[in-house]
Amino acid sequence: MPTHRTGIRTLAWEGDHLVLVDQTRLPHETAFVNCRTWREVGDAIRAMKVRGAPAIGAAAAFGLVLAAGEIGAAERQAFLARLEAAAAELRGARPTAVNLGWALDRLLRRAREHAGDPSALRTALLAEAEAIAAEDVEANRAIGRHGAQMIGPGERILTYCNTGALATVDYGTAFGILRTAHEEGKGIQVLACETRPFLQGARLTSWELLQHGIPAALITDNAAGYLMSRGMVDRVIVGADRIAANGDVANKIGTYTLAILARHHEIPFVVAAPLSSVDFALPDGSGIPIEERAAVEVTHVGGRRVAPGGMPVLNPAFDITPAHLVTAIVTETGVAAPPFLQSLEAQRAVHAARRGGR
Amino acid sequence: MPTHRTGIRTLAWEGDHLVLVDQTRLPHETAFVNCRTWREVGDAIRAMKVRGAPAIGAAAAFGLVLAAGEIGAAERQAFLARLEAAAAELRGARPTAVNLGWALDRLLRRAREHAGDPSALRTALLAEAEAIAAEDVEANRAIGRHGAQMIGPGERILTYCNTGALATVDYGTAFGILRTAHEEGKGIQVLACETRPFLQGARLTSWELLQHGIPAALITDNAAGYLMSRGMVDRVIVGADRIAANGDVANKIGTYTLAILARHHEIPFVVAAPLSSVDFALPDGSGIPIEERAAVEVTHVGGRRVAPGGMPVLNPAFDITPAHLVTAIVTETGVAAPPFLQSLEAQRAVHAARRGGR
């Protein structure tokens, strides 16, 4: 498995199967999950062994490659029908992030256009999945470059959830900006919110910050407001699971609260995501489904019960930050400013032109 | 030990020592701590075996009774000096809540005024500590009555941390309002924030809500904004560790964030506390010390490490909510409205007149 600057790669295709870092076991141990069937990929996505919108997009793409192999010899229409059935089930594994559906649609389109036999088709799908993974890394490095240009010397930047190498194929989105700014010697300091209930900030972002030697402190999510009131936060940078055409942002539950806090304290609130996270078909965030996850994520921590048995729980996993609270959206094409309906559409056009020019 | 409607009492004097419910072990087990020296009381307060501003005030008062017994026979001035030294150390156990200092000052005043020998003085101090405990329960029941008058039928009320019987000698402050409204048949529903890092909401408030059969759901702290945006919160009611003369409120870290969210969504934000939590000597909240607690509260949950070793942590335990974000302050004397400098002072005058009239 190729290793990157973080020491491990979130996901990689190894000959005939997909290998994932088991993110539920970090930072205690670095364990890997071998997925040899598309159902195993779906299970890993549902259990959040792989998480982060770009990472689950790429994982699902490789899952569909596995599905193509599992279907075996079949008449073309039957083959496509079974591939689409697998894609539908993978798509339902996590409803909020758009990258999952985006990656599956891209592979299904490739399958429908392809004229060859199932074996040649499977090779073509693998190439498409590998392209999605490679483009994600490329997009993240570009996000890092564009975003870092906004960062002033010595900025204290608050971030949320995990948007690093682990949330993507490599390098990260919001975290990629932090990493680039740090490597450029800007002397940034990072405040990482722990991100209840799954603690991606405490477990994963802390781990990546330590690996890169970026000066940082871990805080509880509810300390963010206090630290802003004390003038200790210069900027908020978060990722996104889905962005509507108007710039409304679905992201990890708690992001909306940070956006309101940032507005109250007049602190820039920046979102970083590849254009594959923008759902241009959705006019605004009201159409984004919010995943409700199991109560056990709230009642138990690290396998240990903290709340009394029988206590009802509400556990929405995402929230919607309206575009008017967002200062800028950084994609691989550049920094989009409000109004996002125009600026995101312009970025899409630039992106399409660049792809077409290859 | 006398039992109340919650089944257990937070703290009680038993002949010659103080018995506390060990709140670090709830809801898994109901264990008790026997404090036979004033230093044991200080240790229990520091370790948060007893917590909640009114509860630590009463506990410290009984701690000073123990100190008076430990000093033994001594010349009057030496006795008072040693009592004051013990009070100074107890006072430093937790810096933010004012009730601790308020209760100790009340006992020290009693000691200075008392003309009898050390044994008679100790009896007088015990009577004063018992009076503080009894008055706290009485004040909480009055807070519950006054506060419940504000509550409309079917209100969905968000609360934070633990302000119930466990945070007080009995009955609770903000929780006392919920309890009274529920008992009056108002059909309220409660959203309890888990309250990281110490999880008083998940562990203690959930437990009290279940005991009283109040319809409720537990949420992560960072879900509050999302639920408000969906119109699922009609009112926020929280407690206080110290209130400045102008109405600025020090309370559990995260309270300030809830106040900003409530203002953004035009939801009433109500604070409930006895007048003993109002520090009339402080003009505003800028003078309230904010306790910074150990990193291990954030890096570990239930004794299990969640963050990687070596990760720096910021763990402020309280924050300050400015008075302009507070809709009302409910005390045992009634509901104070802005401007609080006037309304709190008026409540103090009413309270003093009632006490004087006994």
Side-chain angles (χ1 to χ4, degrees):
Chain A
M1 169 170 243
T3 58
H4 288 243
R5 290 196 55 183
T6 53
I8 55 169
R9 185 157 175 171
T10 307
L11 56 88
W13 183 258
E14 294 213 334
D16 60 352
H17 67 287
L18 178 65
V19 183
L20 304 169
V21 175
D22 185 347
Q23 300 193 34
T24 62
R25 291 162 82 174
L26 286 172
H28 306 297
E29 59 176 322
T30 306
F32 297 91
V33 183
N34 292 300
C35 298
R36 298 181 185 278
T37 68
W38 68 268
R39 289 192 188 278
E40 287 173 352
V41 175
D43 291 344
I45 293 172
R46 265 185 294 272
M48 293 175 69
K49 291 181 179 180
V50 59
R51 29 66 50 200
I56 64 176
F62 287 111
L64 209 58
V65 173
L66 288 169
E70 290 174 69
I71 295 169
E75 180 269 322
R76 179 176 168 80
Q77 284 312 314
F79 183 92
L80 285 178
R82 289 166 72 179
L83 200 63
E84 278 165 11
E89 197 162 319
L90 283 169
R91 195 187 303 266
R94 307 259 344 247
T96 302
V98 74
N99 310 59
L100 209 166
W102 169 87
L104 292 167
D105 286 341
R106 198 165 141 176
L107 261 71
L108 287 176
R109 202 160 50 236
R110 187 81 189 84
R112 286 189 209 104
E113 289 163 1
H114 195 273
D117 64 15
S119 166
L121 174 53
R122 187 171 170 281
T123 304
L125 291 181
L126 178 57
E128 192 74 16
E130 292 279 20
I132 285 172
E135 288 165 24
D136 182 58
V137 181
E138 194 185 329
N140 293 335
R141 290 186 178 273
I143 288 169
R145 282 193 304 275
H146 294 305
Q149 290 177 18
M150 298 187 299
I151 312 296
E155 274 195 14
R156 294 152 306 172
I157 303 172
L158 185 141
T159 192
Y160 198 62
C161 198
N162 173 263
T163 61
L166 291 166
T168 59
V169 179
D170 199 16
Y171 205 76
T173 55
F175 192 89
I177 297 175
L178 303 179
R179 186 170 158 178
T180 306
H182 173 69
E183 286 167 2
E184 290 176 353
K186 294 204 168 176
I188 62 166
Q189 292 181 287
V190 175
L191 289 169
C193 295
E194 61 176 3
T195 319
R196 282 286 292 153
F198 214 66
L199 295 169
Q200 292 94 332
R203 295 189 299 111
L204 308 178
T205 301
S206 294
W207 186 73
E208 293 199 43
L209 286 163
L210 287 171
Q211 283 203 318
H212 292 284
I214 303 174
L218 174 66
I219 61 171
T220 61
D221 305 328
N222 52 34
Y226 170 72
L227 296 173
M228 288 184 189
S229 77
R230 294 278 161 131
M232 291 170 70
V233 179
D234 298 310
R235 187 182 300 271
V236 178
I237 310 183
V238 301
D241 288 84
R242 190 187 306 214
I243 301 173
N246 73 338
D248 288 353
V249 175
N251 193 45
K252 185 55 51 194
I253 186 79
T255 303
Y256 171 62
T257 291
L258 291 176
I260 291 171
L261 289 172
R263 175 58 51 94
H264 185 89
H265 296 93
E266 299 180 356
I267 294 167
F269 182 85
V270 176
V271 175
L275 283 167
S276 59
S277 293
V278 183
D279 186 348
F280 287 97
L282 264 192
D284 61 52
S286 65
I288 301 176
I290 299 295
E291 179 183 5
E292 177 82 20
R293 290 187 61 86
V296 70
E297 287 186 358
V298 180
T299 57
H300 292 62
V301 180
R304 198 194 139 127
R305 173 176 280 284
V306 290
M311 184 68 187
V313 168
L314 294 178
N315 184 22
F318 299 92
D319 58 25
I320 309 290
T321 298
H324 69 86
L325 295 175
V326 178
T327 311
I329 299 175
V330 185
T331 78
E332 63 269 47
T333 305
V335 178
F340 296 112
L341 192 63
Q342 286 74 32
S343 58
L344 288 176
E345 184 56 43
Q347 292 216 352
R348 172 156 78 157
V350 168
H351 188 67
R354 283 188 191 160
R355 292 261 152 238
R358 286 195 174 185
Chain B
M1 168 171 243
T3 58
H4 288 243
R5 289 196 54 181
T6 52
I8 55 171
R9 185 157 176 173
T10 308
L11 56 88
W13 183 259
E14 294 213 335
D16 61 351
H17 67 286
L18 179 65
V19 183
L20 304 169
V21 175
D22 185 347
Q23 299 193 33
T24 61
R25 290 162 83 174
L26 285 172
H28 305 297
E29 60 176 322
T30 306
F32 297 91
V33 183
N34 293 299
C35 298
R36 298 180 184 279
T37 69
W38 68 269
R39 289 192 188 279
E40 287 173 353
V41 176
D43 291 344
I45 293 172
R46 264 185 295 271
M48 293 175 71
K49 291 181 180 181
V50 60
R51 31 65 51 199
I56 63 175
F62 288 112
L64 209 58
V65 173
L66 288 170
E70 290 173 68
I71 294 169
E75 179 268 324
R76 179 175 167 80
Q77 284 313 313
F79 182 92
L80 285 177
R82 288 165 73 179
L83 200 64
E84 278 164 12
E89 198 162 318
L90 283 169
R91 194 187 303 266
R94 306 259 344 246
T96 302
V98 74
N99 310 59
L100 209 166
W102 168 87
L104 292 167
D105 285 342
R106 198 165 141 176
L107 261 71
L108 287 176
R109 202 159 50 236
R110 188 81 189 84
R112 286 189 208 103
E113 289 164 2
H114 195 271
D117 64 14
S119 167
L121 174 54
R122 187 171 171 281
T123 304
L125 290 181
L126 178 57
E128 191 75 16
E130 292 281 20
I132 285 173
E135 289 165 23
D136 182 58
V137 180
E138 192 186 328
N140 293 335
R141 290 186 178 273
I143 288 170
R145 283 194 303 276
H146 295 304
Q149 290 177 17
M150 297 188 300
I151 312 295
E155 274 196 14
R156 295 153 305 172
I157 303 171
L158 185 140
T159 191
Y160 198 62
C161 198
N162 173 264
T163 60
L166 292 166
T168 58
V169 178
D170 199 15
Y171 205 76
T173 55
F175 192 90
I177 297 176
L178 304 178
R179 187 169 158 178
T180 305
H182 173 69
E183 286 166 3
E184 290 175 353
K186 295 205 168 174
I188 62 166
Q189 291 181 286
V190 174
L191 290 168
C193 294
E194 62 176 1
T195 319
R196 283 284 293 152
F198 214 66
L199 296 168
Q200 292 95 331
R203 295 189 299 112
L204 309 177
T205 301
S206 294
W207 186 75
E208 293 198 45
L209 286 163
L210 287 171
Q211 282 202 321
H212 292 284
I214 303 174
L218 174 65
I219 61 171
T220 61
D221 305 327
N222 52 36
Y226 170 72
L227 296 173
M228 288 184 189
S229 77
R230 294 278 161 131
M232 293 170 69
V233 179
D234 299 309
R235 188 182 298 273
V236 178
I237 311 184
V238 300
D241 287 83
R242 190 187 306 213
I243 302 173
N246 73 337
D248 289 354
V249 174
N251 193 44
K252 185 56 48 196
I253 187 79
T255 304
Y256 171 63
T257 291
L258 291 177
I260 291 171
L261 289 172
R263 175 59 50 93
H264 185 89
H265 296 93
E266 299 180 357
I267 295 167
F269 183 85
V270 176
V271 175
L275 283 167
S276 60
S277 293
V278 183
D279 187 349
F280 287 96
L282 264 191
D284 62 53
S286 66
I288 301 176
I290 300 294
E291 178 182 6
E292 176 83 20
R293 290 188 61 86
V296 71
E297 286 185 358
V298 180
T299 57
H300 292 61
V301 181
R304 198 195 138 126
R305 172 176 280 285
V306 290
M311 184 66 187
V313 167
L314 293 178
N315 184 21
F318 300 91
D319 58 26
I320 308 291
T321 299
H324 69 85
L325 295 175
V326 178
T327 311
I329 298 176
V330 185
T331 77
E332 63 269 47
T333 306
V335 178
F340 296 112
L341 192 63
Q342 285 75 32
S343 59
L344 288 176
E345 185 55 42
Q347 292 216 353
R348 173 157 74 159
V350 169
H351 188 66
R354 284 188 191 161
R355 293 260 151 238
R358 289 197 170 181

